[in-house]
């Protein structure tokens, strides 16, 4: 009884009713979980010289991290996790544009903080492996634990195309998974399906640059390495840093357009459908709780929040 009373008192004191704040907190935690697991898988591989992990285990960790992150915030914020996905939802009028920069900032902050947590977790291992030098290149570099870097043979143009295609495929797959007029997965299995989608892309398209497909996932940890001691080299290199920031946004636009033009626009209209939904992708949405305080722009989504990523 004492514990229950304490929890109820804590909830009454700390509960936040503002819908936007709740979404941002959930999104922050979900991205933190996503990046913590993803980068830890990479750190284990790099600092052990692939004796306690390899590319396959790192990709598997990243894919399963997506599943856990979606479960963490899917019912509150929609678990976007990725500015590219948030952009796709805006383009499909499933998410208000005024929220887009807010979610991008929260996602980037979550990735930055999570990179710091991974650095703390693997602090001794990183310094032991790197022989006391934090470098972004060379045989003992450790910057690739946190952000993506291109293979030696990869040009900027080819890397840009890689990220556009990879992210477009990611968005097409997610829209198909969530489209209730297509062969959507059984309700509740969306996180598993998206995790398998991410894993399939990583193991088939990861060799060029590690498949970031997420501007926040790459820029947040890269910014952390800049301030934590790796220095400006993480932004110099061959000028790669902007590619995983810009290309996924273009890829999200391409993926959204492809799914609409080739699939969603051609769904037959169903009786009772509002005109706006008769010729577009229809996602399984989550209603805003009745006690939520919504901002004026909330009406852009007709009182609905996008479903899980």
């Amino acid at each position: 009884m004492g514990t229950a009373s304490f929890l109820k008192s804590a909830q009454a004191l700390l509960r936040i009713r503002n819908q936007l704040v709740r979404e941002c907190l959930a999104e922050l935690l979900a991205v933190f979980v996503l990046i913590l697991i993803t980068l830890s898988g990479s750190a284990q591989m790099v600092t052990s010289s692939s004796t306690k992990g390899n590319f396959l285990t790192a990709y598997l960790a990243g894919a399963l991290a997506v599943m856990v992150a979606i479960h963490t915030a899917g019912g509150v914020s929609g678990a976007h996790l990725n500015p590219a996905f948030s952009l796709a939802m805006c383009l499909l009028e499933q998410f208000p544009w005024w929220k887009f920069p807010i979610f991008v900032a929260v996602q980037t902050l979550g990735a930055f903080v999570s990179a710091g947590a991974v650095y703390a977790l693997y602090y001794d291992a990183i310094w032991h492996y790197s022989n006391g030098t934090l470098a972004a290149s060379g045989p003992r570099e450790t910057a690739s634990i946190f952000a993506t870097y291109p293979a030696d043979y990869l040009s900027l143009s080819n890397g840009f195309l890689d990220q556009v295609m990879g992210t477009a495929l990611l968005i097409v797959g997610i829209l198909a998974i969530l489209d209730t007029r297509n062969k959507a997965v059984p309700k509740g299995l969306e996180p598993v399906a998206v995790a398998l989608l991410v894993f399939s892309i990583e193991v088939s398209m990861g060799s060029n640059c590690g498949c970031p497909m997420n501007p926040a996932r790459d820029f947040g940890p890269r910014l952390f390495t800049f301030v934590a001691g790796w220095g400006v080299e993480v932004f110099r290199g061959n000028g790669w840093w902007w590619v995983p920031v810009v290309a996924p946004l273009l890829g999200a636009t391409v993926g959204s357009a492809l799914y609409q033009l080739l699939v969603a626009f051609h769904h037959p209209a169903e009786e009772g459908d509002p005109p706006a939904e008769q010729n577009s992708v229809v996602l399984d949405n989550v209603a805003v709780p009745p006690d939520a305080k919504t901002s004026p722009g909330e009406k852009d989504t007709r009182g609905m929040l996008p479903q899980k990523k």
Side-chain angles (χ1 to χ4, degrees):
M1 281 299 286
T3 302
S5 299
F6 172 76
L7 291 177
K8 287 182 179 179
S9 299
Q11 181 184 21
L13 179 64
L14 300 175
R15 184 182 182 189
I16 296 173
R17 293 182 177 272
N18 182 277
Q19 180 66 18
L20 177 61
V21 176
R22 291 173 57 202
E23 291 173 21
C24 289
L25 291 176
E27 192 75 7
L28 181 69
L29 179 60
V31 173
F32 179 85
V33 169
L34 169 67
I35 304 304
L36 180 66
I37 299 175
T38 300
L39 299 189
S40 292
S42 179
Q44 182 167 281
M45 174 186 68
V46 172
T47 59
S48 69
S49 299
S50 297
T51 60
K52 296 180 180 178
N54 52 39
F55 282 106
L56 186 61
T57 62
Y59 290 152
L60 183 59
L64 293 177
V66 171
M67 180 183 69
V68 177
I70 294 174
H71 279 296
T72 300
V76 182
S77 70
H80 289 198
L81 310 177
N82 184 344
F85 181 75
S86 296
L87 176 62
M89 292 296 95
C90 289
L91 293 172
L92 295 175
E93 299 182 350
Q94 297 288 319
F95 191 66
W97 281 99
W98 68 268
K99 279 187 180 180
F100 176 67
I102 300 174
F103 263 51
V104 171
V106 169
Q107 291 157 356
T108 304
L109 175 62
F112 179 90
V113 174
S114 188
V118 172
Y119 180 60
L121 179 65
Y122 279 92
Y123 181 85
D124 289 343
I126 289 172
W127 282 95
H128 177 266
Y129 174 81
S130 64
N131 292 325
T133 302
L134 299 179
S137 59
R140 292 285 176 172
E141 63 82 20
T142 48
S144 62
I145 291 174
F146 300 92
T148 62
Y149 292 85
D152 293 337
Y153 59 79
L154 191 68
S155 65
L156 283 180
S157 58
N158 197 177
F160 193 89
L161 177 63
D162 176 283
Q163 281 305 283
V164 170
M165 292 183 65
T167 309
L169 178 58
L170 175 68
I171 297 301
V172 166
I174 294 175
L175 293 180
I177 290 169
L178 298 179
D179 188 354
T180 57
R181 291 196 179 155
N182 203 334
K183 195 169 180 61
V185 300
K187 193 170 183 64
L189 291 180
E190 299 94 340
V192 177
V194 175
L196 291 174
L197 169 64
V198 171
F199 185 65
S200 69
I201 296 174
E202 288 178 329
V203 297
S204 62
M205 301 182 182
S207 62
N208 280 337
C209 57
C211 262
M213 300 184 294
N214 183 336
R217 175 261 177 271
D218 196 87
F219 184 76
R222 191 183 301 274
L223 184 61
F224 171 80
T225 56
F226 170 69
V227 301
W230 278 264
V232 74
E233 187 182 2
V234 300
F235 285 107
R236 284 178 179 168
N238 63 351
W240 166 260
W241 71 270
W242 63 271
V243 174
V245 173
V246 177
L249 299 177
L250 178 58
T253 304
V254 172
S256 301
L258 284 175
Y259 192 80
Q260 291 293 100
L261 292 172
L262 301 181
V263 178
F265 279 170
H266 313 294
H267 288 325
E270 296 181 0
E271 187 176 352
D273 283 344
E277 292 185 353
Q278 290 183 359
N279 295 307
S280 62
V281 59
V282 180
L283 304 182
D284 186 12
N285 291 322
V286 179
V288 176
D291 66 341
K293 295 181 180 178
T294 57
S295 301
E298 202 75 29
K299 299 183 183 296
D300 293 353
T301 56
R302 299 179 297 280
M304 306 294 283
L305 294 176
Q307 173 63 302
K308 306 168 186 175
K309 173 183 170 186

